[in-house]
Amino acid sequence: QSGWKVLATEIEIKETAGFEIGSGEYRLPIMGRIDRVDYHPDLRCLAIWDYKTADTPVHPLKAHFQPESGWKNLQLPIYRFL
């Protein structure tokens, strides 16, 4: 109702797709699966969904980031990069 449209689901990112982080000899390929991507044409904005099946929900920042040491799980910054 708010204008969001499902753009794609179950997007597989293969190692051969060419997405990498790092530089020089210290490059790592990025691979995985994105559950769903929505698009809002008026806002020209994407929303990336990652469904979790845990019994107890955990806030994304708590699950992925610690203020004293930084990122402990790179899933969210890698989504932003992609």
Coordinates of all heavy atoms in Angstrom, one line a residue:
Q1 N 0.8 -1.2 0.0 CA 0.0 0.0 0.0 C 0.9 1.3 0.0 O 0.4 2.3 -0.5 CB -0.9 0.0 1.2 CG -2.0 -1.0 1.1 CD -2.9 -1.0 2.3 OE1 -2.5 -0.6 3.4 NE2 -4.2 -1.4 2.2
S2 N 2.0 1.2 0.6 CA 2.9 2.4 0.6 C 3.8 2.6 -0.6 O 4.6 3.5 -0.6 CB 3.7 2.3 1.9 OG 4.7 1.3 1.8
G3 N 3.6 1.7 -1.6 CA 4.3 1.9 -2.8 C 5.5 1.0 -3.1 O 6.1 1.0 -4.2
W4 N 5.8 0.2 -2.1 CA 7.0 -0.8 -2.3 C 6.5 -1.9 -3.2 O 5.4 -2.4 -3.1 CB 7.4 -1.3 -1.0 CG 8.1 -0.3 -0.1 CD1 7.6 0.5 0.8 CD2 9.5 0.1 -0.2 NE1 8.5 1.3 1.3 CE2 9.7 1.1 0.7 CE3 10.6 -0.3 -1.0 CZ2 10.9 1.7 0.9 CZ3 11.8 0.3 -0.8 CH2 12.0 1.3 0.1
K5 N 7.4 -2.3 -4.1 CA 7.2 -3.5 -5.0 C 8.3 -4.5 -4.8 O 9.5 -4.1 -4.7 CB 7.2 -3.0 -6.5 CG 6.3 -1.9 -6.8 CD 4.8 -2.3 -6.7 CE 4.0 -1.1 -7.1 NZ 2.6 -1.2 -6.6
V6 N 8.0 -5.8 -4.8 CA 9.0 -6.8 -4.7 C 9.8 -6.8 -6.1 O 9.2 -7.0 -7.1 CB 8.4 -8.2 -4.5 CG1 9.5 -9.2 -4.5 CG2 7.6 -8.2 -3.1
L7 N 11.0 -6.6 -6.0 CA 11.9 -6.5 -7.2 C 12.5 -7.9 -7.5 O 12.5 -8.3 -8.7 CB 13.0 -5.5 -7.0 CG 13.9 -5.2 -8.2 CD1 13.2 -4.6 -9.3 CD2 15.1 -4.3 -7.7
A8 N 12.9 -8.6 -6.5 CA 13.5 -9.9 -6.7 C 13.5 -10.7 -5.3 O 13.5 -10.1 -4.3 CB 14.9 -9.8 -7.2
T9 N 13.5 -12.0 -5.4 CA 13.6 -12.9 -4.3 C 14.7 -13.9 -4.5 O 15.0 -14.3 -5.7 CB 12.3 -13.6 -3.9 OG1 11.9 -14.4 -5.0 CG2 11.2 -12.6 -3.6
E10 N 15.2 -14.4 -3.4 CA 16.2 -15.5 -3.5 C 17.3 -15.3 -4.5 O 17.6 -16.1 -5.4 CB 15.6 -16.9 -3.7 CG 14.6 -17.3 -2.6 CD 15.3 -17.6 -1.3 OE1 16.4 -18.2 -1.4 OE2 14.8 -17.3 -0.3
I11 N 18.0 -14.1 -4.4 CA 19.1 -13.7 -5.3 C 20.4 -14.4 -4.9 O 20.9 -14.2 -3.8 CB 19.3 -12.2 -5.3 CG1 18.0 -11.5 -5.7 CG2 20.4 -11.8 -6.2 CD1 18.0 -10.0 -5.4
E12 N 20.9 -15.3 -5.7 CA 22.1 -16.0 -5.4 C 23.3 -15.2 -6.0 O 23.3 -14.9 -7.1 CB 22.1 -17.4 -6.0 CG 23.3 -18.2 -5.6 CD 23.3 -19.6 -6.0 OE1 22.3 -20.0 -6.6 OE2 24.3 -20.3 -5.8
I13 N 24.2 -14.8 -5.1 CA 25.4 -14.1 -5.5 C 26.6 -15.2 -5.5 O 27.0 -15.7 -4.5 CB 25.8 -13.0 -4.5 CG1 24.6 -12.1 -4.2 CG2 27.0 -12.3 -5.0 CD1 24.2 -11.3 -5.4
K14 N 27.0 -15.6 -6.7 CA 28.0 -16.6 -6.8 C 29.4 -16.0 -6.8 O 29.6 -14.8 -7.1 CB 27.9 -17.3 -8.1 CG 26.6 -18.1 -8.2 CD 26.5 -18.9 -9.5 CE 25.2 -19.7 -9.4 NZ 25.1 -20.6 -10.6
E15 N 30.4 -16.8 -6.4 CA 31.8 -16.3 -6.3 C 32.2 -15.7 -7.7 O 33.0 -14.8 -7.7 CB 32.7 -17.5 -5.9 CG 34.1 -17.1 -5.7 CD 35.0 -18.2 -5.2 OE1 34.4 -19.3 -4.8 OE2 36.2 -18.0 -5.1
T16 N 31.7 -16.3 -8.8 CA 32.1 -15.8 -10.1 C 31.4 -14.5 -10.5 O 31.7 -14.0 -11.6 CB 31.7 -16.9 -11.1 OG1 30.3 -17.2 -11.0 CG2 32.5 -18.2 -10.9
A17 N 30.5 -13.9 -9.6 CA 29.8 -12.7 -10.0 C 30.8 -11.5 -10.0 O 30.5 -10.5 -10.6 CB 28.7 -12.4 -9.0
G18 N 32.0 -11.6 -9.4 CA 32.9 -10.6 -9.4 C 32.9 -9.6 -8.3 O 33.6 -8.6 -8.3
F19 N 32.0 -9.8 -7.3 CA 32.0 -8.9 -6.1 C 33.1 -9.3 -5.2 O 33.2 -10.4 -4.8 CB 30.6 -9.0 -5.4 CG 29.5 -8.5 -6.2 CD1 28.5 -9.3 -6.7 CD2 29.3 -7.1 -6.5 CE1 27.4 -8.9 -7.5 CE2 28.3 -6.6 -7.2 CZ 27.3 -7.5 -7.7
E20 N 33.9 -8.3 -4.8 CA 35.0 -8.5 -3.9 C 35.1 -7.4 -2.9 O 34.7 -6.2 -3.2 CB 36.3 -8.6 -4.7 CG 36.4 -9.8 -5.6 CD 37.7 -9.8 -6.4 OE1 38.3 -8.8 -6.7 OE2 38.1 -11.0 -6.7
I21 N 35.7 -7.7 -1.8 CA 36.1 -6.6 -0.8 C 37.6 -6.7 -0.6 O 38.2 -7.8 -0.9 CB 35.4 -6.8 0.5 CG1 35.6 -8.1 1.2 CG2 33.9 -6.5 0.4 CD1 35.1 -8.2 2.6
G22 N 38.2 -5.6 -0.3 CA 39.7 -5.6 -0.1 C 40.3 -5.0 -1.3 O 39.7 -4.5 -2.2
S23 N 41.6 -5.1 -1.3 CA 42.4 -4.6 -2.5 C 43.7 -5.4 -2.6 O 44.2 -6.1 -1.7 CB 42.7 -3.1 -2.3 OG 43.5 -2.9 -1.1
G24 N 44.3 -5.2 -3.8 CA 45.6 -5.9 -4.1 C 45.4 -7.4 -3.9 O 44.5 -8.0 -4.4
E25 N 46.4 -8.0 -3.3 CA 46.4 -9.4 -3.1 C 45.5 -9.8 -1.9 O 45.3 -11.0 -1.7 CB 47.8 -9.9 -2.8 CG 48.5 -9.4 -1.5 CD 49.9 -9.9 -1.3 OE1 50.0 -11.1 -0.9 OE2 50.8 -9.1 -1.5
Y26 N 44.9 -8.9 -1.2 CA 44.0 -9.2 -0.1 C 42.6 -8.9 -0.5 O 41.9 -8.2 0.2 CB 44.4 -8.3 1.1 CG 45.8 -8.6 1.6 CD1 46.8 -7.7 1.3 CD2 46.2 -9.8 2.2 CE1 48.1 -7.9 1.7 CE2 47.5 -10.0 2.6 CZ 48.5 -9.1 2.3 OH 49.7 -9.3 2.7
R27 N 42.1 -9.5 -1.5 CA 40.8 -9.4 -2.0 C 40.0 -10.7 -1.7 O 40.6 -11.8 -1.8 CB 40.7 -9.1 -3.5 CG 41.3 -7.8 -3.8 CD 41.0 -7.4 -5.2 NE 41.1 -8.4 -6.2 CZ 41.7 -8.3 -7.3 NH1 42.3 -7.2 -7.7 NH2 41.8 -9.3 -8.1
L28 N 38.8 -10.6 -1.2 CA 38.0 -11.7 -0.9 C 36.7 -11.7 -1.7 O 36.0 -10.6 -1.8 CB 37.6 -11.7 0.6 CG 38.7 -11.9 1.6 CD1 38.2 -11.6 3.0 CD2 39.3 -13.3 1.5
P29 N 36.3 -12.8 -2.3 CA 35.1 -12.8 -3.1 C 33.9 -12.8 -2.1 O 33.9 -13.3 -1.0 CB 35.1 -14.1 -3.8 CG 36.1 -15.0 -3.1 CD 37.0 -14.1 -2.4
I30 N 32.8 -12.2 -2.6 CA 31.6 -12.2 -1.8 C 30.6 -13.1 -2.5 O 30.4 -13.0 -3.7 CB 31.0 -10.7 -1.7 CG1 32.0 -9.8 -1.0 CG2 29.6 -10.7 -1.1 CD1 31.6 -8.4 -1.1
M31 N 30.0 -14.0 -1.7 CA 29.0 -14.9 -2.2 C 27.9 -15.1 -1.1 O 28.2 -14.8 0.0 CB 29.6 -16.2 -2.6 CG 30.3 -16.9 -1.6 SD 31.3 -18.3 -2.2 CE 32.9 -17.8 -1.6
G32 N 26.8 -15.5 -1.6 CA 25.7 -15.7 -0.6 C 24.3 -15.6 -1.3 O 24.2 -15.7 -2.5
R33 N 23.3 -15.4 -0.5 CA 22.0 -15.3 -1.0 C 21.2 -14.2 -0.3 O 21.3 -14.0 0.9 CB 21.2 -16.6 -0.7 CG 19.8 -16.6 -1.3 CD 19.1 -17.9 -1.1 NE 19.9 -19.1 -1.3 CZ 20.0 -19.7 -2.5 NH1 19.3 -19.3 -3.5 NH2 20.7 -20.8 -2.7
I34 N 20.6 -13.3 -1.1 CA 19.8 -12.2 -0.5 C 18.3 -12.7 -0.6 O 17.8 -13.1 -1.7 CB 20.0 -10.9 -1.3 CG1 21.4 -10.5 -1.2 CG2 19.0 -9.8 -0.8 CD1 21.8 -9.3 -2.0
D35 N 17.6 -12.7 0.5 CA 16.3 -13.2 0.6 C 15.3 -12.4 -0.3 O 14.5 -13.0 -1.0 CB 15.7 -13.3 2.0 CG 16.5 -14.3 2.8 OD1 17.0 -15.3 2.3 OD2 16.6 -14.1 4.1
R36 N 15.3 -11.1 -0.2 CA 14.3 -10.3 -1.0 C 14.8 -8.9 -1.1 O 15.4 -8.3 -0.3 CB 13.0 -10.4 -0.2 CG 11.9 -9.6 -0.9 CD 10.6 -9.8 -0.1 NE 9.8 -8.6 -0.1 CZ 8.7 -8.5 0.5 NH1 8.2 -9.5 1.2 NH2 8.0 -7.3 0.5
V37 N 14.5 -8.3 -2.3 CA 14.8 -6.9 -2.5 C 13.5 -6.2 -3.0 O 12.9 -6.7 -4.0 CB 15.9 -6.7 -3.6 CG1 16.2 -5.3 -3.9 CG2 17.2 -7.4 -3.2
D38 N 13.1 -5.2 -2.3 CA 12.0 -4.4 -2.7 C 12.5 -3.0 -3.3 O 13.5 -2.6 -2.9 CB 11.1 -4.1 -1.5 CG 10.4 -5.3 -1.0 OD1 10.5 -6.4 -1.6 OD2 9.7 -5.2 0.0
Y39 N 11.6 -2.4 -4.1 CA 11.9 -1.1 -4.7 C 10.7 -0.2 -4.6 O 9.6 -0.6 -4.8 CB 12.3 -1.3 -6.2 CG 12.6 0.0 -6.9 CD1 13.8 0.7 -6.6 CD2 11.8 0.5 -7.9 CE1 14.1 1.9 -7.2 CE2 12.1 1.7 -8.5 CZ 13.2 2.4 -8.2 OH 13.5 3.5 -8.8
H40 N 11.0 1.1 -4.3 CA 10.0 2.1 -4.2 C 10.2 3.1 -5.3 O 11.2 3.9 -5.2 CB 10.0 2.8 -2.8 CG 8.8 3.5 -2.5 ND1 8.4 4.7 -3.2 CD2 7.8 3.3 -1.6 CE1 7.3 5.1 -2.8 NE2 6.9 4.4 -1.8
P41 N 9.4 3.1 -6.4 CA 9.7 3.9 -7.5 C 9.7 5.4 -7.2 O 10.4 6.2 -7.8 CB 8.7 3.5 -8.5 CG 7.6 2.8 -7.8 CD 8.3 2.2 -6.6
D42 N 8.8 5.8 -6.3 CA 8.6 7.3 -6.0 C 9.9 7.7 -5.2 O 10.4 8.8 -5.4 CB 7.4 7.6 -5.2 CG 6.1 7.3 -6.0 OD1 6.2 7.3 -7.3 OD2 5.1 7.0 -5.4
L43 N 10.3 6.9 -4.3 CA 11.5 7.3 -3.5 C 12.8 6.9 -4.1 O 13.8 7.4 -3.7 CB 11.4 6.5 -2.1 CG 10.2 6.8 -1.2 CD1 10.2 5.9 0.0 CD2 10.2 8.3 -0.8
R44 N 12.7 6.1 -5.2 CA 13.9 5.6 -5.9 C 14.9 4.9 -4.9 O 16.1 5.3 -4.8 CB 14.6 6.7 -6.7 CG 13.7 7.2 -7.8 CD 14.3 8.3 -8.6 NE 15.5 7.8 -9.2 CZ 16.5 8.6 -9.7 NH1 16.4 9.9 -9.5 NH2 17.5 8.0 -10.2
C45 N 14.3 4.0 -4.1 CA 15.0 3.5 -2.9 C 14.8 1.9 -2.9 O 13.8 1.4 -3.3 CB 14.5 4.1 -1.7 SG 15.4 3.7 -0.2
L46 N 15.9 1.2 -2.5 CA 15.8 -0.2 -2.4 C 15.7 -0.6 -0.9 O 16.3 0.1 0.0 CB 17.1 -0.9 -2.9 CG 17.3 -0.8 -4.4 CD1 18.7 -1.3 -4.8 CD2 16.2 -1.6 -5.2
A47 N 15.0 -1.7 -0.6 CA 15.0 -2.3 0.7 C 15.5 -3.7 0.6 O 14.9 -4.5 -0.2 CB 13.6 -2.2 1.4
I48 N 16.5 -4.1 1.4 CA 17.0 -5.5 1.3 C 16.5 -6.2 2.6 O 16.7 -5.8 3.7 CB 18.5 -5.5 1.3 CG1 19.0 -4.8 0.0 CG2 19.0 -6.9 1.3 CD1 20.5 -4.6 -0.1
W49 N 15.9 -7.4 2.3 CA 15.3 -8.2 3.4 C 16.1 -9.4 3.6 O 16.5 -10.1 2.7 CB 13.9 -8.6 3.1 CG 12.9 -7.5 2.9 CD1 12.7 -6.7 1.8 CD2 12.1 -7.0 4.0 NE1 11.7 -5.7 2.1 CE2 11.4 -5.9 3.4 CE3 11.9 -7.3 5.3 CZ2 10.4 -5.1 4.2 CZ3 11.0 -6.6 6.0 CH2 10.3 -5.5 5.5
D50 N 16.3 -9.7 4.9 CA 17.0 -11.0 5.3 C 16.2 -11.6 6.4 O 16.1 -11.1 7.5 CB 18.4 -10.7 5.8 CG 19.2 -11.9 6.2 OD1 19.1 -12.9 5.4 OD2 19.7 -12.0 7.3
Y51 N 15.5 -12.7 6.0 CA 14.6 -13.3 7.0 C 15.4 -14.2 7.9 O 16.3 -14.9 7.5 CB 13.5 -14.1 6.2 CG 12.6 -13.3 5.4 CD1 12.7 -13.3 4.0 CD2 11.7 -12.4 5.9 CE1 11.9 -12.6 3.2 CE2 10.9 -11.7 5.2 CZ 11.0 -11.7 3.8 OH 10.2 -10.9 3.0
K52 N 15.0 -14.1 9.2 CA 15.7 -14.9 10.2 C 14.6 -15.8 10.8 O 13.4 -15.4 10.9 CB 16.3 -14.0 11.3 CG 17.4 -13.1 10.8 CD 18.6 -13.9 10.3 CE 19.7 -12.9 9.9 NZ 20.7 -13.6 9.2
T53 N 15.0 -17.0 11.3 CA 14.1 -17.9 11.9 C 14.4 -18.2 13.3 O 14.0 -19.2 13.9 CB 14.1 -19.2 11.1 OG1 15.4 -19.8 11.1 CG2 13.7 -19.0 9.6
A54 N 15.0 -17.3 14.0 CA 15.3 -17.5 15.5 C 14.1 -17.4 16.3 O 13.1 -16.7 16.0 CB 16.4 -16.5 15.9
D55 N 14.1 -18.1 17.4 CA 13.0 -18.0 18.4 C 12.9 -16.6 19.0 O 11.8 -16.1 19.3 CB 13.1 -19.1 19.5 CG 12.9 -20.5 18.9 OD1 12.2 -20.6 17.9 OD2 13.4 -21.4 19.5
T56 N 14.0 -16.0 19.3 CA 14.1 -14.7 19.9 C 14.7 -13.7 19.0 O 15.9 -13.9 18.6 CB 14.9 -14.8 21.2 OG1 14.3 -15.8 22.1 CG2 14.8 -13.5 22.0
P57 N 14.0 -12.7 18.6 CA 14.6 -11.7 17.7 C 15.8 -10.9 18.4 O 15.7 -10.6 19.6 CB 13.5 -10.8 17.3 CG 12.4 -11.0 18.4 CD 12.7 -12.3 18.9
V58 N 16.8 -10.5 17.6 CA 17.9 -9.7 18.1 C 18.0 -8.5 17.2 O 17.9 -8.6 15.9 CB 19.2 -10.5 18.0 CG1 20.4 -9.7 18.5 CG2 19.1 -11.8 18.9
H59 N 18.1 -7.3 17.7 CA 18.2 -6.1 17.0 C 19.5 -6.2 16.1 O 20.5 -6.7 16.5 CB 18.3 -4.9 17.9 CG 18.3 -3.6 17.2 ND1 19.3 -3.0 16.6 CD2 17.2 -2.7 17.0 CE1 19.0 -1.9 16.0 NE2 17.7 -1.7 16.3
P60 N 19.4 -5.8 14.8 CA 20.5 -5.9 13.9 C 21.8 -5.3 14.4 O 22.9 -5.9 14.2 CB 20.0 -5.2 12.6 CG 18.6 -5.3 12.7 CD 18.2 -5.2 14.1
L61 N 21.8 -4.1 15.0 CA 23.1 -3.6 15.5 C 23.7 -4.4 16.6 O 24.9 -4.6 16.7 CB 22.9 -2.1 16.0 CG 22.8 -1.1 14.9 CD1 22.6 0.3 15.4 CD2 24.1 -1.1 14.0
K62 N 22.8 -5.0 17.5 CA 23.4 -5.8 18.5 C 23.9 -7.1 18.0 O 24.9 -7.6 18.5 CB 22.2 -6.1 19.5 CG 22.7 -6.9 20.8 CD 21.7 -7.0 21.8 CE 22.2 -7.8 23.0 NZ 21.2 -8.0 24.0
A63 N 23.3 -7.7 16.9 CA 23.8 -8.9 16.3 C 25.0 -8.7 15.5 O 25.8 -9.7 15.3 CB 22.7 -9.5 15.5
H64 N 25.2 -7.5 14.9 CA 26.3 -7.4 14.0 C 27.4 -6.4 14.3 O 28.4 -6.3 13.7 CB 25.7 -6.9 12.6 CG 24.8 -7.9 12.0 ND1 25.2 -8.9 11.2 CD2 23.4 -8.0 12.1 CE1 24.2 -9.6 10.8 NE2 23.1 -9.1 11.3
F65 N 27.2 -5.5 15.4 CA 28.1 -4.5 15.7 C 28.3 -4.3 17.2 O 27.3 -4.4 17.9 CB 27.5 -3.1 15.1 CG 28.5 -2.0 15.1 CD1 29.5 -1.8 14.2 CD2 28.4 -1.0 16.2 CE1 30.4 -0.8 14.3 CE2 29.2 0.0 16.2 CZ 30.2 0.2 15.3
Q66 N 29.6 -4.1 17.6 CA 29.9 -3.7 18.9 C 30.6 -2.4 19.0 O 31.6 -2.3 18.3 CB 30.7 -4.8 19.6 CG 30.0 -6.1 19.7 CD 30.9 -7.2 20.4 OE1 32.1 -7.1 20.3 NE2 30.2 -8.2 21.0
P67 N 30.1 -1.4 19.7 CA 30.7 -0.1 19.7 C 32.2 -0.1 20.0 O 32.9 0.7 19.4 CB 29.9 0.7 20.7 CG 28.6 0.0 20.8 CD 28.9 -1.5 20.5
E68 N 32.6 -0.9 20.9 CA 34.0 -0.9 21.3 C 35.0 -1.6 20.3 O 36.1 -1.3 20.3 CB 34.2 -1.5 22.7 CG 33.8 -3.0 22.8 CD 32.3 -3.3 23.0 OE1 31.5 -2.3 23.1 OE2 31.9 -4.5 22.9
S69 N 34.4 -2.5 19.5 CA 35.3 -3.2 18.6 C 34.9 -3.1 17.1 O 35.6 -3.6 16.2 CB 35.5 -4.6 19.0 OG 34.2 -5.3 19.0
G70 N 33.7 -2.6 16.8 CA 33.3 -2.4 15.4 C 32.4 -3.6 15.0 O 31.8 -4.3 15.8
W71 N 32.5 -3.8 13.7 CA 31.6 -4.9 13.1 C 32.1 -6.3 13.5 O 33.3 -6.5 13.4 CB 31.7 -4.8 11.5 CG 31.0 -3.6 11.0 CD1 31.5 -2.4 10.6 CD2 29.5 -3.4 10.9 NE1 30.6 -1.5 10.3 CE2 29.3 -2.1 10.4 CE3 28.4 -4.2 11.2 CZ2 28.1 -1.6 10.2 CZ3 27.2 -3.7 11.0 CH2 27.0 -2.4 10.5
K72 N 31.2 -7.1 13.9 CA 31.6 -8.5 14.3 C 31.0 -9.5 13.3 O 31.3 -10.6 13.3 CB 31.2 -8.8 15.7 CG 29.7 -8.8 16.0 CD 29.4 -9.2 17.4 CE 27.9 -9.2 17.6 NZ 27.6 -9.7 19.0
N73 N 30.1 -9.0 12.5 CA 29.5 -9.8 11.4 C 29.3 -8.8 10.2 O 28.6 -7.8 10.4 CB 28.1 -10.3 11.9 CG 27.4 -11.2 10.8 OD1 27.5 -10.9 9.6 ND2 26.6 -12.1 11.3
L74 N 29.9 -9.2 9.1 CA 29.9 -8.2 8.0 C 28.7 -8.3 7.1 O 28.7 -7.6 6.0 CB 31.2 -8.5 7.2 CG 32.5 -8.2 7.9 CD1 33.6 -8.6 7.0 CD2 32.5 -6.8 8.3
Q75 N 27.7 -9.0 7.4 CA 26.5 -9.2 6.5 C 25.9 -7.9 6.1 O 25.6 -7.6 5.0 CB 25.5 -10.1 7.2 CG 24.3 -10.4 6.3 CD 23.3 -11.3 7.0 OE1 23.4 -11.5 8.3 NE2 22.4 -11.9 6.3
L76 N 25.6 -7.0 7.1 CA 24.9 -5.7 6.8 C 25.8 -4.8 6.0 O 25.3 -4.3 4.9 CB 24.4 -5.1 8.1 CG 23.3 -5.8 8.8 CD1 23.0 -5.1 10.1 CD2 22.1 -6.1 8.0
P77 N 27.1 -4.6 6.3 CA 27.9 -3.7 5.5 C 28.1 -4.3 4.0 O 28.2 -3.5 3.1 CB 29.2 -3.6 6.2 CG 29.1 -4.4 7.4 CD 27.8 -4.9 7.5
I78 N 28.1 -5.6 3.9 CA 28.3 -6.2 2.6 C 27.0 -6.0 1.8 O 27.1 -5.7 0.6 CB 28.7 -7.7 2.7 CG1 30.1 -7.8 3.2 CG2 28.4 -8.4 1.4 CD1 30.6 -9.2 3.5
Y79 N 25.8 -6.1 2.4 CA 24.6 -5.8 1.7 C 24.6 -4.4 1.2 O 24.2 -4.1 0.0 CB 23.4 -6.0 2.6 CG 22.9 -7.4 2.8 CD1 21.9 -7.7 3.7 CD2 23.4 -8.4 2.0 CE1 21.4 -8.9 3.9 CE2 22.9 -9.7 2.2 CZ 21.9 -10.0 3.1 OH 21.4 -11.2 3.3
R80 N 25.1 -3.5 2.0 CA 25.1 -2.1 1.5 C 26.1 -1.9 0.4 O 25.8 -1.2 -0.6 CB 25.6 -1.2 2.7 CG 25.6 0.3 2.3 CD 26.0 1.2 3.5 NE 26.1 2.5 3.0 CZ 25.4 3.5 3.5 NH1 24.6 3.4 4.5 NH2 25.5 4.7 3.0
F81 N 27.2 -2.6 0.4 CA 28.2 -2.6 -0.7 C 27.6 -3.1 -2.0 O 27.8 -2.5 -3.0 CB 29.4 -3.4 -0.3 CG 30.4 -3.6 -1.4 CD1 31.3 -2.6 -1.8 CD2 30.5 -4.8 -2.0 CE1 32.2 -2.7 -2.8 CE2 31.4 -5.0 -3.1 CZ 32.3 -4.0 -3.4
L82 N 26.9 -4.2 -1.9 CA 26.3 -4.8 -3.0 C 25.2 -3.9 -3.6 O 25.1 -3.9 -4.8 CB 25.7 -6.2 -2.7 CG 26.7 -7.3 -2.4 CD1 25.9 -8.5 -1.9 CD2 27.5 -7.6 -3.6

